[in-house]
Amino acid sequence: MIAGDRISLPDPRARAQAFLLKACGASSVAIERWDRLPGGAIQENIALDVRVESGAFAGRHEWVLRTDAPSAVAVSRSRPEEFRILRAAADAGVRVPEPLFVCDDGEGPDFFVMQRVPGVAAGHRLSKDDRLVPDRGSLARELGENLARLHRVTPAPDMDFLGEAPADPARASIASYRRDLDVLSSPRGEAWPALEWGLAWCARNAPGPLPACLLHRDYRTGNYLVHEGRLAAVLDWEFAGWGDPREDLGWMLARCWRFARPDREAGGIGDAADFLAGYAAAGGRATTREETRYWQVMAHLRWAVIALQQAERHRSGSQRSLELALTAHIVPDLEHEILDLTEGIA
Amino acid sequence: MKVEPTAADLVDIARATILSDIVPALPGDPRYAALMAANALAIAGRDLALPSTSEDEIARLAALLDDWSPAADPGEALKDATARLAARVREGRFDEGEARVRLLAHLRETTRARLAVSNPRLLAGRERKAS
């Protein structure tokens, strides 16, 4: 490929090459590896090995290009927005893949480029294999510290694309899940009394709101990389938004994200006490057992609603998929956990 | 007379064949898809073994919904009663006292039956934990 040559074909690799040439202020950019990474039904991640000649980025780099998958549906955040969230998280000291360049030239789907971070994300491996996580207390604390740093980010004008922070996030979520269930009910008249019980319990026990901060909203095992036993980077920021910090704590501690080790409360990889101690040590608010229990219930309700929505995409015929169909069969386990938590058994 | 073997047996042998003859031969993504297909057939097999509607569940719902009389068709009755119960739970009519206790007993039983079809292994794990 000739340096500086502007290719007019909508070939993503050529487009990326031309973009990087400009973005790096280089005399030439060679993309030596271009491999689609596994996973990602909504976003597509491509591993790039890039050689840059001259300019501030001269040298060899291992990067990831993140863009919308061709089959993308109902994307919650655009790639340029996700790039800005990643920037804000990195600036707050959260471990993330360093965001480098964002492209929204309109000549194809938006994308951004970030550092490629080595590590393992797979939840079943991290929960099972002690060689990957030799010191579980230390990883749990790191996850807590890292989350506390994220929660220091508060609503600011340069992040107004995230919308206004809800005045009472718990009640706003309850109202939103009820609307979601009504929409899910409408095609066939189904109803979910156990989920309604969980929502009624949450409405009755709603805590007073805390000042809103930046939430990841999918901060759990499976969405971070562990390298040499340490937290290397938090991934998948497309659900980030303003809310109650305890929502992220409840999500990480929810039984539904413990993979092979339901006995390890912090994402199947460690103890809740270590996770919460790390959170408090880095300036996060101390939380009571009642608070974490409340937000664990909310976590299971949220995942149940999302699972039903995913299954509905299959059932309605809009996206026939075995994986989406099977997601509905996660719901009874979530219902079981909601009953245990609200009765004080779990 | 239908040709034997019918649904339940075919679903069972299809699942067993995927696991014994197909999964071991596959790498990565196709292997994952084959395991999902086997799991779907396992759920389908357990579902086929049950009546389409549970008379027990309708009876429990009728006891919770004191002013309700079921439709003649059991499927319609179950759907109607479940929707009514969900609406009343949302209204807060089962929040406290005896109503709450009776509701939770029903939800436990219903969820247990749902989980026994969707994921009996998780149900067994939970019941070991509880005992």
Side-chain angles (χ1 to χ4, degrees):
Chain A
M1 196 161 293
I2 300 158
D5 215 4
R6 185 84 190 169
I7 310 272
S8 57
L9 294 169
D11 170 36
R13 183 169 175 160
R15 177 168 167 243
Q17 194 263 344
F19 168 78
L20 287 171
L21 184 69
K22 253 196 224 168
C24 297
S27 61
S28 85
V29 163
I31 296 178
E32 294 173 340
R33 177 184 171 201
W34 176 278
D35 286 329
R36 191 157 297 146
L37 294 169
I42 300 170
Q43 275 78 44
E44 200 166 84
N45 296 301
I46 295 159
L48 304 181
D49 288 354
V50 180
R51 201 178 61 235
V52 178
E53 301 293 345
S54 79
F57 289 88
R60 291 198 49 145
H61 302 282
E62 294 187 348
W63 289 340
V64 169
L65 183 151
R66 185 163 161 87
T67 188
D68 293 334
S71 63
V73 286
V75 180
S76 49
R77 298 276 172 235
S78 70
R79 282 333 95 223
E81 287 170 354
E82 197 183 355
F83 181 83
R84 288 170 66 185
I85 294 164
L86 213 49
R87 184 76 265 157
D91 291 346
V94 179
R95 258 172 245 164
V96 292
E98 178 79 13
L100 298 166
F101 314 108
V102 60
C103 175
D104 55 356
D105 60 13
E107 291 177 22
D110 294 343
F111 66 82
F112 68 81
V113 175
M114 58 187 169
Q115 291 286 0
R116 188 157 84 241
V117 178
V120 174
H124 63 277
R125 294 184 59 197
L126 293 174
S127 57
K128 257 192 235 168
D129 191 343
D130 288 338
R131 287 166 306 178
L132 293 172
V133 189
D135 186 346
R136 296 191 169 275
S138 156
L139 180 62
R141 276 190 302 279
E142 278 189 296
L143 284 163
E145 290 161 5
N146 200 61
L147 189 58
R149 288 195 286 272
L150 175 67
H151 288 171
R152 283 186 218 150
V153 181
T154 51
D158 64 331
M159 303 269 280
D160 59 0
F161 63 89
L162 290 176
E164 213 166 304
D168 190 337
R171 291 189 186 283
S173 292
I174 293 164
S176 144
Y177 302 154
R178 281 175 170 163
R179 282 193 302 274
D180 292 337
L181 289 179
D182 290 343
V183 170
L184 285 160
S185 171
S186 62
R188 301 171 206 89
E190 288 160 283
W192 297 271
L195 301 183
E196 293 290 351
W197 163 256
L199 287 165
W201 184 89
C202 282
R204 247 181 357 264
N205 293 285
L210 296 177
C213 63
L214 186 58
L215 305 188
H216 180 281
R217 280 227 167 83
D218 205 5
Y219 196 82
R220 61 163 175 92
T221 302
N223 284 341
Y224 56 82
L225 290 166
V226 173
H227 185 58
E228 293 174 347
R230 304 203 59 195
L231 174 63
V234 178
L235 309 172
D236 294 328
W237 290 81
E238 69 261 29
F239 298 110
W242 308 122
D244 189 310
R246 294 168 293 188
E247 182 184 329
D248 273 346
L249 296 174
W251 195 252
M252 174 58 93
L253 295 173
R255 194 179 199 272
C256 50
W257 300 123
R258 295 181 199 159
F259 297 89
R261 291 299 296 265
D263 55 317
R264 290 194 189 124
E265 223 182 340
I269 61 93
D271 292 341
D274 289 321
F275 172 67
L276 293 171
Y279 185 74
R285 190 177 164 281
T287 40
T288 65
R289 184 71 197 99
E290 285 66 37
E291 286 175 311
T292 53
R293 178 186 298 275
Y294 182 86
W295 292 93
Q296 283 173 318
V297 177
M298 287 288 261
H300 286 91
L301 287 167
R302 174 164 176 244
W303 183 204
V305 168
I306 294 171
L308 291 171
Q309 288 170 333
Q310 292 189 351
E312 185 57 32
R313 272 159 51 200
H314 165 80
R315 296 177 71 193
S316 69
S318 76
Q319 191 187 355
R320 299 285 294 170
S321 147
L322 178 55
E323 187 162 27
L324 293 177
L326 284 172
T327 308
H329 288 275
I330 294 170
V331 175
D333 190 52
L334 303 176
E335 292 174 335
H336 203 303
E337 184 65 7
I338 288 165
L339 296 178
D340 281 359
L341 285 166
T342 56
E343 288 193 279
I345 295 168
Chain B
M1 190 72 188
K2 289 183 186 175
V3 178
E4 295 282 348
T6 52
D9 191 359
L10 290 172
V11 161
D12 185 56
I13 191 63
R15 175 183 164 275
T17 305
I18 290 172
L19 291 177
S20 63
D21 297 3
I22 299 177
V23 167
L26 293 176
D29 284 353
R31 180 189 173 89
Y32 179 65
L35 287 170
M36 282 199 301
N39 184 31
L41 290 171
I43 294 170
R46 291 189 292 267
D47 191 19
L48 281 168
L50 295 173
S52 59
T53 52
S54 156
E55 295 294 335
D56 271 10
E57 191 177 349
I58 295 174
R60 289 200 310 273
L61 283 160
L64 284 168
L65 303 167
D66 34 30
D67 55 347
W68 174 75
S69 47
D73 175 63
E76 282 308 308
L78 184 56
K79 187 176 276 191
D80 175 44
T82 303
R84 283 168 192 265
L85 180 66
R88 292 187 195 184
V89 171
R90 189 182 291 193
E91 287 165 12
R93 289 165 66 174
F94 290 91
D95 279 359
E96 304 296 342
E98 177 67 13
R100 172 186 167 131
V101 172
R102 293 188 325 145
L103 173 74
L104 282 165
H106 164 73
L107 294 178
R108 284 270 168 208
E109 196 57 44
T110 307
T111 300
R112 194 184 175 286
R114 283 157 65 81
L115 193 52
V117 172
S118 294
N119 200 328
R121 198 173 49 83
L122 285 182
L123 180 63
R126 285 182 170 281
E127 293 190 337
R128 262 200 310 280
K129 186 185 81 166
S131 63

